[in-house]
Amino acid sequence: MAKRLDKTVPELIDPEWKWHLAFLTDVTEMLNSLNLQLQGQGKLICDMYSHIKAFEVKLALLLEQVKKHNFIHLPATQNLSAENPAVPFPAEKCVEALEMLKAQFGVRFRELHVNAKEIRLFQNPFVADIDEVQPSYQFELAELQNCDVLKDAFKPNSLIDFYAALPNDTYPNIKKHAMKMSTLFGSTYICEQTFSRMKLQKTPMRSRLTDEHLHHCLRLAVTRMEPDIQLLTSQMQAHSSH
């Protein structure tokens, strides 16, 4: 049996340290929730930008509330406050921490804000302001926004299919813009997923696995495309028995 070590942890009896622990727990939970929103397959840059903007709004709201000792969105901090701790809430340090987090978000996601109009054009071309888009998109956008058939076919949750169905001759620049926006990597999720799958595929037991085989196995593991088995089998030539 492992020997039990009786070790004193002075932080657990420090009331100010408990405040910081509760506050950090709440802020970390918020960041974890944002992280989960940004992960997953099929996440487009416009979806991620929406989550980032929403988090920045929440952060600004939280900053003003913490200044007033309002912990309505901080459950761990609110529970500790209800216990009437011996020392007051360290508002100054916690506000400083939130301001630093807000500043870091502004720096880290600056490119998203700079390209907000480009992202918005991709997200919904029917509400884009023609006067504010690049000249190469203006005439095509005028055609698109006044095409009732395409307007009825537009669905925000299937942008890729919508842009793929646009005629190339009529909307070449808008389709190029959509292709650029849809291939942007907003997170490292796909890379991390591919490496994880590769570790599962490339094991010491598979000694005859070549680079070409590994390439095909990885494509099968990470792609969302489903093969048309009936079409593939219909194209195969049957061999007569001898």
Side-chain angles (χ1 to χ4, degrees), residues 34 38 48-49 52-53 55-56 103-115 186:
L34 174 64
L38 299 179
M48 297 185 176
Y49 187 37
I52 294 299
K53 288 191 297 181
F55 186 84
E56 289 178 333
Q104 286 297 318
F105 260 75
V107 173
R108 187 175 183 84
F109 298 104
R110 178 179 176 275
E111 287 191 48
L112 289 178
H113 295 299
V114 171
N115 296 283

Side-chain angles (χ1 to χ4, degrees), residues 36-238:
L36 290 175
Q37 288 178 320
L38 299 179
Q39 294 182 13
Q41 290 186 341
K43 295 285 186 179
L44 299 175
I45 192 66
C46 54
D47 301 323
M48 297 185 176
Y49 187 37
S50 296
H51 293 312
I52 294 299
K53 288 191 297 181
F55 186 84
E56 289 178 333
V57 172
K58 295 175 184 177
L59 204 55
L61 178 65
L62 191 63
L63 187 57
E64 295 303 316
Q65 291 177 342
V66 169
K67 290 179 181 179
K68 301 175 183 178
H69 293 205
N70 181 353
F71 310 128
I72 187 64
H73 298 297
L74 302 172
T77 308
Q78 190 173 40
N79 289 337
L80 182 59
S81 176
E83 297 176 5
N84 296 317
V87 299
F89 173 68
E92 185 177 349
K93 291 184 179 180
C94 292
V95 166
E96 182 181 355
L98 288 176
E99 288 177 340
M100 290 177 59
L101 181 59
K102 183 179 178 182
Q104 286 297 318
F105 260 75
V107 173
R108 187 175 183 84
F109 298 104
R110 178 179 176 275
E111 287 191 48
L112 289 178
H113 295 299
V114 171
N115 296 283
K117 292 181 181 179
E118 297 288 318
I119 297 174
R120 183 57 176 161
L121 172 62
F122 168 67
Q123 187 177 24
N124 192 339
F126 292 99
V127 299
D129 191 339
I130 295 180
D131 294 329
E132 294 184 358
V133 301
Q134 296 181 17
S136 58
Y137 303 140
Q138 288 179 333
F139 274 21
E140 294 181 19
L141 205 56
E143 290 279 353
L144 183 63
Q145 291 183 351
N146 289 280
C147 180
D148 293 334
V149 175
L150 293 176
K151 187 179 296 185
D152 293 338
F154 177 77
K155 295 179 181 178
N157 59 348
S158 58
L159 287 177
I160 304 302
D161 295 335
F162 171 77
Y163 283 111
L166 291 182
N168 291 323
D169 296 338
T170 310
Y171 308 105
N173 293 311
I174 288 182
K175 293 196 69 170
K176 288 180 181 178
H177 177 261
M179 186 178 298
K180 180 179 70 174
M181 290 289 108
S182 61
T183 53
L184 288 176
F185 286 93
S187 73
T188 59
Y189 176 82
I190 297 178
C191 297
E192 293 171 0
Q193 181 193 39
T194 303
F195 277 112
S196 297
R197 295 295 178 88
M198 183 178 68
K199 289 180 179 179
L200 294 175
Q201 297 282 347
K202 196 172 183 179
T203 65
M205 302 300 296
R206 305 188 68 180
S207 59
R208 300 184 65 182
L209 182 66
T210 65
D211 290 341
E212 184 179 1
H213 292 154
L214 179 61
H215 173 75
H216 294 315
C217 289
L218 283 178
R219 291 199 65 177
L220 288 172
V222 301
T223 185
R224 293 186 298 162
M225 298 179 63
E226 295 183 1
D228 190 339
I229 302 299
Q230 291 186 348
L231 177 61
L232 293 174
T233 53
S234 66
Q235 295 175 347
M236 296 178 63
Q237 182 177 1

Side-chain angles (χ1 to χ4, degrees), residues 9-22 80 87:
V9 183
E11 289 85 359
L12 295 178
I13 58 175
D14 183 351
E16 185 173 351
W17 185 86
K18 289 182 179 180
W19 275 119
H20 290 298
L21 176 61
L80 182 59
V87 299

